[in-house]
Amino acid sequence: MLLHPEEQMKIIQKGAESIVDEKELMIKLEKSFKEQRPLTIKLGLDPSAPDIHIGHAVVLRKIKQMQDLGHHAVILIGDFTGRIGDPTGKAKGRTALSDEQVKENAITYTDQIFRVLDQEKTTVRFNSEWLSNMTFEEVIRLAASTSVARILERDDFQKRYHNQTPIGLHEFFYPLMQAQDSVELKADIELGGTDQTFNILMGRTLQKHVGMEKQIAIFMPLLEGLDGVEKMSKSLGNYIGVQEPAEVMFKKVMEVPDQLIIKYFELTTDVHPDDVQNIKNRLDHGENPRDIKLELAGHITALYHGKEGMNAGKHYFETAFQQRDIPDVIPEILVDLEKDLLADVIPQLIEARFVKSKSELVRLIRQNGVSLNQQKITAEELDRVVMNDDVLKIGKKRFVKFVK
Amino acid sequence: MLLHPEEQMKIIQKGAESIVDEKELMIKLEKSFKEQRPLTIKLGLDPSAPDIHIGHAVVLRKIKQMQDLGHHAVILIGDFTGRIGDPTGKAKGRTALSDEQVKENAITYTDQIFRVLDQEKTTVRFNSEWLSNMTFEEVIRLAASTSVARILERDDFQKRYHNQTPIGLHEFFYPLMQAQDSVELKADIELGGTDQTFNILMGRTLQKHVGMEKQIAIFMPLLEGLDGVEKMSKSLGNYIGVQEPAEVMFKKVMEVPDQLIIKYFELTTDVHPDDVQNIKNRLDHGENPRDIKLELAGHITALYHGKEGMNAGKHYFETAFQQRDIPDVIPEILVDLEKDLLADVIPQLIEARFVKSKSELVRLIRQNGVSLNQQKITAEELDRVVMNDDVLKIGKKRFVKFVK
């Protein structure tokens, strides 16, 4: 049932930033193939995480691909630290959660995760199961597996130490807990973003320390958001949520900057690496990125909403946005932005043949046929100040855009 | 029953290197005096410690003086770390001890302690009682009470960090455990050598952190040994053991260098500070240090062997060593050290009027009347090589010493 190791390796490598280390992974894949025994793939998640977007889903997608190859996922909810909160009381939002809250968060969370993962091939575990039972003596033994200098190597700790920003001694335990989780789960592979490098490698160290085969670390790159610059994040508004409606999702993918098309194919779809290579070739040969982005939007929307959702998204996009998105069919009207009212610019609208007269415009408004930035307007709104990039629309095809 | 606080303070201050802080101690003494409630004085001891010498006993003596003032001592045996040993397996001699071994060591140890302390006013506790029951969550909370930078301030850690000598993360816990012991015992005062400064002050920090009144730290200086230079230690041979016979103890005190007489009065006897001041004045006025040292030897021997032991020690010293200790009554004989045999130097012995003839010497040896370095010798030992400072004795008063 498992694919040949070389074939698996090709799929696993797609989009990965780095794998530590590939040779060891190959040995694990070969052994697993020979024994037809699935590998255990670990992903640790913080139960306080918010709604999942397709940036978060990069690691989940990779795991899904490995599930499709026959392997088994363990989602490790880090509830132990959640229950403790921030013992210094300094970190806001790290107040201790009750058992019920943790369970509740976990349910909301796994609901979203199973929009990506194969529930049949996934186990959900909570690390309080073993961490809360550890004695001081066991903690001491755990601590003895590493040195202070080693932990201080972690980028953020090093910066804080040198800037004299206090590091609570308890913080040194978080990488160790994550490592202990790998020991308990006998993880073969752990996935994470590149910001998790230190913590995941600590798992290898600890597994070796206790005489276990070392897990393979697969680091996935961080995904830039729709602005093409910043890491995808809800607070920056440059995200595509996995729970967003098909129409919104499709339209947002169409906003992905051209230079990120291939990266999105690699990190946010399950398209086979050979096919991604073909798409790259097509782009390199001058094919319109817009057409390829339509395929990308189709793939992504289908992943979360099925074929039907994908079609709905595409139809909506083509009818409501496609024309507006072609700049040369939108006449631009120069106005005194943030001073002119809509009523003031009617002469220009007539001149641009957008409407024949003021009375025609008022009539169309009353017939509910005019919208400003996709919102129908009433006649009172003619007294509204015109802003940059405001788009006025009549019917389905007549557009005009105000600029300075 | 408790003395007036000012009077107590005078006795507590005697010989102390520093008290953190004196004002707070005064408040504790006043409150204790008013309520006639004894203070709890903590001393932590490592169960792997060897035979106790009077250098170790400096802190015990101070505690005994406070017991005489009415206070209560708690001897805290750090068995928790003893049971763990060194988890890295690197530190030799820090192999894990069994419960039985720990108990056995504790008995040997307390036997010696009660040669100094008042058993009626002493409680012995083991820190495994609370430390072994701590959960990981409690350990995390304990760790959160301090910062990495704060712990790295400790002299030895700082040196090791800068020299890139690995510090196991578990080692960071030892000061915290000691601090936790102070919390559990509700210690009012903790004593220690100046090498314990960091760990004892950590107790103050943690007590404050949990909303408790801070303990007072009393640091006692480290005592130089009989060589007057190095810290007293068994391995250097410059020590006076608390279990040594009265005769040995008395004689060893007489070897204390003159410049340390006052320090020894302050740190190793219970002589009242006012009387120590008198002794200092006598020395300053030119009194023979030897006579004062006889008093010192008397005080110290009496502390461990009572008045009878003190008299025995003094008598033995005066008869067996006093003459020998006066260099001008011991004729020195120049020999070719480590080459000449005892038999070879008989001509010199005759010349020095030590014996009249070889036959007289052999006769005296056969009568069991000749000793070399306090050991009776037989005629065969005339074939022994002569070493530097060998002292040959006939009867009780005839001495000769070999030198190069």
Side-chain angles (χ1 to χ4, degrees):
Chain A
M1 187 163 160
L2 289 161
L3 268 184
H4 195 274
E6 265 99 43
E7 199 45 44
Q8 291 191 49
M9 181 62 104
K10 197 183 207 175
I11 292 169
I12 294 172
Q13 281 171 327
K14 185 186 81 159
E17 177 95 14
S18 69
I19 295 175
V20 180
D21 80 29
E22 280 191 24
K23 221 187 255 171
E24 289 176 26
L25 175 56
M26 199 47 163
I27 294 168
K28 282 206 188 243
L29 289 173
E30 277 164 357
K31 208 171 145 194
S32 146
F33 180 70
K34 207 171 137 192
E35 299 170 3
Q36 290 289 304
R37 184 187 54 83
L39 295 176
T40 299
I41 302 155
K42 173 194 166 198
L43 179 69
L45 293 173
D46 177 348
S48 67
D51 298 340
I52 293 181
H53 54 59
I54 68 165
H56 297 126
V58 167
V59 282
L60 295 170
R61 286 246 72 80
K62 180 56 68 188
I63 291 174
K64 174 60 163 51
Q65 290 156 16
M66 291 195 266
Q67 288 182 322
D68 292 343
L69 293 174
H71 301 293
H72 192 84
V74 180
I75 297 300
L76 191 276
I77 310 272
D79 68 326
F80 181 67
T81 45
R83 277 172 224 257
I84 296 175
D86 175 34
T88 66
K90 277 177 200 154
K92 276 184 194 171
R94 286 206 62 181
T95 49
L97 303 175
S98 70
D99 283 15
E100 276 169 33
Q101 282 173 305
V102 169
K103 286 260 180 277
E104 229 168 79
N105 286 0
I107 289 168
T108 326
Y109 209 40
T110 46
D111 267 1
Q112 297 180 66
I113 285 166
F114 291 128
R115 285 176 177 261
V116 181
L117 295 190
D118 179 346
Q119 196 155 354
E120 300 277 305
K121 293 179 182 166
T122 305
T123 312
V124 177
R125 299 286 292 272
F126 296 83
N127 65 0
S128 62
E129 194 189 315
W130 46 87
L131 295 181
S132 63
N133 293 328
M134 278 177 80
T135 64
F136 200 169
E137 180 168 342
E138 289 165 329
V139 173
I140 291 282
R141 288 187 197 289
L142 177 60
S145 67
T146 190
S147 74
V148 173
R150 174 79 202 281
I151 300 249
L152 267 179
E153 274 169 18
R154 206 177 80 172
D155 266 4
D156 56 333
F157 285 152
Q158 201 160 79
K159 273 181 207 143
R160 285 165 64 193
Y161 184 64
H162 287 294
N163 296 340
Q164 304 189 309
T165 311
I167 305 167
L169 181 51
H170 62 292
E171 298 182 67
F172 268 27
F173 273 93
Y174 298 141
L176 280 172
M177 289 178 193
Q178 192 167 331
Q180 181 66 22
D181 295 342
S182 292
V183 169
E184 295 284 347
L185 298 174
K186 298 185 181 62
D188 288 304
I189 297 177
E190 179 164 2
L191 264 93
T194 47
D195 50 345
Q196 284 290 309
T197 305
F198 184 90
N199 294 353
I200 294 180
L201 293 183
M202 185 61 79
R204 285 170 59 84
T205 307
L206 191 61
Q207 283 177 321
K208 191 183 168 193
H209 186 81
V210 302
M212 194 177 276
E213 194 177 280
K214 285 182 288 181
Q215 66 183 10
I216 308 303
I218 300 182
F219 301 110
M220 298 305 292
L222 298 176
L223 185 70
E224 292 87 352
L226 301 179
D227 57 355
V229 179
E230 299 290 341
K231 181 182 145 187
M232 184 174 284
S233 107
K234 199 168 182 187
S235 61
L236 292 174
N238 63 353
Y239 72 103
I240 304 174
V242 300
Q243 304 205 94
E244 294 194 278
E247 292 79 2
V248 177
M249 195 176 262
F250 198 100
K251 184 206 151 230
K252 282 190 172 183
V253 177
M254 292 306 295
E255 294 172 24
V256 169
D258 292 352
Q259 76 277 10
L260 287 179
I261 292 175
I262 296 300
K263 190 167 185 183
Y264 269 66
F265 265 107
E266 285 179 338
L267 300 181
T268 72
T269 75
D270 292 341
V271 174
H272 190 278
D274 293 342
D275 298 328
V276 176
Q277 187 54 49
N278 284 338
I279 292 164
K280 199 167 174 303
N281 293 342
R282 284 163 55 200
L283 272 174
D284 291 346
H285 285 83
E287 196 170 322
N288 187 349
R290 197 158 191 294
D291 296 335
I292 298 196
K293 235 188 281 182
L294 279 169
E295 288 175 33
L296 177 65
H299 280 294
I300 294 175
T301 311
L303 280 173
Y304 296 98
H305 297 283
K307 212 178 167 191
E308 213 167 296
M310 185 257 276
N311 287 333
K314 193 172 183 188
H315 177 75
Y316 180 75
F317 176 76
E318 285 173 341
T319 51
F321 297 96
Q322 201 152 21
Q323 289 92 336
R324 202 193 75 161
D325 258 18
I326 302 162
D328 53 14
V329 309
I330 304 188
E332 290 182 352
I333 292 181
L334 287 171
V335 295
D336 196 358
L337 290 167
E338 298 176 35
K339 278 195 185 159
D340 281 339
L341 303 181
L342 215 44
D344 297 333
V345 299
I346 293 173
Q348 285 105 305
L349 291 175
I350 294 167
E351 196 180 323
R353 297 170 190 263
F354 185 71
V355 285
K356 290 183 183 133
S357 61
K358 181 174 173 179
S359 61
E360 188 206 39
L361 180 62
V362 172
R363 182 174 48 82
L364 287 169
I365 290 175
R366 291 217 173 113
Q367 287 168 358
N368 222 11
V370 180
S371 60
L372 182 69
N373 303 327
Q374 315 298 323
Q375 299 281 333
K376 300 289 179 193
I377 57 168
T378 59
E380 285 78 52
E381 283 175 87
L382 288 173
D383 287 336
R384 204 172 133 159
V385 168
V386 180
M387 311 288 283
N388 193 23
D389 280 345
D390 269 355
V391 171
L392 204 63
K393 186 170 86 167
I394 294 173
K396 292 218 162 177
K397 301 208 166 172
R398 238 189 293 167
F399 292 88
V400 79
K401 189 187 206 171
F402 300 104
V403 295
K404 194 163 63 179
Chain B
M1 185 161 158
L2 289 161
L3 267 184
H4 194 274
E6 266 100 40
E7 198 47 42
Q8 292 191 49
M9 182 62 103
K10 197 184 208 172
I11 290 168
I12 295 171
Q13 281 171 326
K14 185 187 83 158
E17 177 95 14
S18 70
I19 295 175
V20 180
D21 80 30
E22 279 192 24
K23 222 187 250 171
E24 289 176 26
L25 173 56
M26 199 47 162
I27 294 168
K28 282 209 189 242
L29 288 173
E30 276 164 357
K31 207 172 146 196
S32 145
F33 179 72
K34 207 172 136 194
E35 299 170 4
Q36 290 289 304
R37 183 187 57 81
L39 296 176
T40 300
I41 302 156
K42 173 194 166 198
L43 178 70
L45 293 174
D46 177 349
S48 66
D51 297 341
I52 294 180
H53 55 59
I54 69 167
H56 297 125
V58 166
V59 282
L60 295 171
R61 287 248 72 80
K62 179 56 68 188
I63 292 175
K64 173 60 162 53
Q65 290 156 17
M66 291 195 268
Q67 287 182 323
D68 291 343
L69 292 173
H71 302 294
H72 192 85
V74 180
I75 297 300
L76 191 276
I77 311 271
D79 67 327
F80 181 68
T81 46
R83 276 171 225 255
I84 297 175
D86 175 33
T88 66
K90 279 178 199 155
K92 276 183 193 172
R94 285 206 65 181
T95 49
L97 302 175
S98 70
D99 284 16
E100 275 169 36
Q101 281 173 305
V102 168
K103 286 258 181 278
E104 229 169 77
N105 285 0
I107 289 167
T108 327
Y109 209 41
T110 46
D111 267 0
Q112 296 180 66
I113 286 166
F114 290 129
R115 285 175 178 263
V116 182
L117 296 190
D118 179 345
Q119 197 156 355
E120 301 276 305
K121 291 178 181 166
T122 304
T123 311
V124 177
R125 298 286 292 273
F126 296 82
N127 65 1
S128 62
E129 194 188 316
W130 46 87
L131 294 182
S132 64
N133 293 328
M134 277 177 80
T135 64
F136 200 170
E137 180 168 345
E138 288 167 328
V139 174
I140 290 283
R141 287 186 198 290
L142 177 60
S145 68
T146 190
S147 73
V148 173
R150 174 81 201 284
I151 301 248
L152 267 178
E153 276 169 17
R154 207 176 81 172
D155 267 3
D156 55 334
F157 285 151
Q158 201 159 79
K159 272 180 209 145
R160 285 166 63 192
Y161 185 64
H162 288 294
N163 295 341
Q164 304 188 309
T165 310
I167 305 167
L169 182 52
H170 62 293
E171 297 182 68
F172 269 25
F173 272 93
Y174 297 141
L176 280 172
M177 289 180 193
Q178 191 167 331
Q180 181 65 23
D181 294 342
S182 291
V183 168
E184 294 284 345
L185 298 174
K186 298 186 179 63
D188 288 305
I189 297 177
E190 178 164 2
L191 263 94
T194 48
D195 52 344
Q196 284 291 309
T197 306
F198 184 90
N199 294 354
I200 294 180
L201 293 182
M202 185 61 80
R204 284 171 60 84
T205 307
L206 191 61
Q207 283 177 322
K208 192 183 167 193
H209 185 80
V210 302
M212 194 178 277
E213 196 178 280
K214 287 182 285 183
Q215 67 183 8
I216 308 303
I218 301 182
F219 300 109
M220 299 303 292
L222 298 176
L223 186 70
E224 291 88 352
L226 301 179
D227 57 355
V229 179
E230 299 290 340
K231 181 183 147 188
M232 182 174 284
S233 106
K234 199 168 181 189
S235 60
L236 292 174
N238 62 354
Y239 71 103
I240 304 173
V242 301
Q243 303 204 94
E244 295 194 277
E247 291 79 1
V248 177
M249 195 177 261
F250 197 100
K251 184 210 151 227
K252 281 190 170 182
V253 177
M254 292 306 293
E255 293 172 24
V256 168
D258 292 352
Q259 77 276 12
L260 287 178
I261 292 175
I262 294 301
K263 191 167 185 184
Y264 268 67
F265 266 108
E266 283 179 340
L267 299 181
T268 71
T269 76
D270 292 340
V271 174
H272 190 278
D274 293 343
D275 297 328
V276 176
Q277 188 54 49
N278 284 337
I279 292 163
K280 197 167 177 302
N281 292 343
R282 284 163 55 201
L283 271 174
D284 290 347
H285 286 82
E287 196 169 323
N288 187 349
R290 199 159 191 294
D291 295 336
I292 298 197
K293 235 188 282 185
L294 280 169
E295 287 175 34
L296 177 65
H299 279 295
I300 293 175
T301 311
L303 280 172
Y304 296 98
H305 296 284
K307 211 177 168 189
E308 214 168 297
M310 186 258 277
N311 286 333
K314 193 173 184 186
H315 177 73
Y316 179 76
F317 177 78
E318 285 173 341
T319 51
F321 296 97
Q322 202 151 21
Q323 288 93 335
R324 203 195 74 161
D325 257 19
I326 302 162
D328 53 15
V329 308
I330 306 190
E332 291 180 353
I333 291 181
L334 289 171
V335 293
D336 197 356
L337 289 168
E338 298 176 36
K339 278 192 186 163
D340 281 338
L341 304 180
L342 215 44
D344 297 333
V345 300
I346 293 173
Q348 285 104 307
L349 291 174
I350 295 167
E351 198 181 318
R353 296 168 190 263
F354 185 72
V355 284
K356 287 184 185 133
S357 62
K358 181 175 174 176
S359 61
E360 189 204 40
L361 179 64
V362 172
R363 181 173 48 79
L364 286 169
I365 288 175
R366 292 217 172 110
Q367 286 169 358
N368 221 11
V370 180
S371 59
L372 181 69
N373 304 327
Q374 315 297 323
Q375 300 281 331
K376 299 290 179 191
I377 58 168
T378 59
E380 284 77 53
E381 283 174 86
L382 288 174
D383 288 334
R384 201 172 134 154
V385 168
V386 180
M387 310 288 283
N388 193 25
D389 279 347
D390 269 356
V391 172
L392 204 63
K393 187 170 84 165
I394 295 174
K396 291 220 163 177
K397 299 207 168 175
R398 238 192 292 166
F399 291 88
V400 79
K401 188 188 208 171
F402 298 106
V403 295
K404 193 163 66 176

